[in-house]
Each structure stands twice: as structure tokens, then as C-alpha cells.
Amino acid sequence: VRVCILGHIQRGGSPSCLDRLIASRMGYQAVECLINGDFNVMVGIEDNKIKLTPLDNAIKAKQNISQEWLKIVKILAS
């Protein structure tokens, strides 16, 4: 038996420099939110800027998935 921690393995490989940068930026902002007492928000990036979205808005928002993305997902899932 061998222990394996999934993470990026599940996604298909090691994290890139950009993956690490995005995670660091979002993690830093999440900690800042906690320190400042900003709760119930989702940290995201929009137009390369950190954006906080209230969780109520985040879970209510719906977006359509393009047919192109669905096609790619089906190919990659095979």
C-alpha cells in the first residue's frame, strides 16, 4: 500500500508557476479578509485583479457552459 496525496496529480500534473502565483494571491487575500473581518465572501480574480464576491451572489449566479468547452471536457474525460 502506498499513500498518494491527490491535488495536482488528479488534474494532470505538477502545478505551473502561474498556478502557484494565482494560489498565492488568492490565499493571501483570503487571509486578509479574515483579518479584516470580511466573512462569507469568495475570493476570485477578474481582469487580473482580486475580486471579492459575496457567497450569496456566487451561489445564485448561473452561467451557461459553451458547447466548445463541453466538447473538450468529453474528449479529455475519455
Side-chain angles (χ1 to χ4, degrees):
V1 175
R2 187 180 84 150
V3 174
C4 181
I5 299 171
L6 290 176
H8 280 85
I9 294 171
Q10 187 176 23
R11 194 170 64 117
S14 298
S16 68
C17 182
L18 182 59
D19 291 330
R20 290 184 174 107
L21 180 62
I22 289 170
S24 296
R25 287 179 67 194
M26 293 176 70
Y28 173 83
Q29 187 60 49
V31 171
E32 286 293 309
C33 286
L34 292 174
I35 290 170
N36 295 329
D38 296 327
F39 300 104
N40 296 319
V41 295
M42 177 187 77
V43 177
I45 297 178
E46 189 173 294
D47 295 326
N48 203 27
K49 295 179 184 153
I50 294 289
K51 179 181 178 185
L52 302 179
T53 303
L55 282 178
D56 288 340
N57 295 354
I59 61 174
K60 289 178 186 173
K62 295 184 180 185
Q63 294 181 345
N64 293 325
I65 300 173
S66 74
Q67 292 302 311
E68 180 183 3
W69 277 110
L70 287 175
K71 183 178 176 183
I72 291 169
V73 168
K74 287 178 184 177
I75 291 169
L76 294 175
S78 302

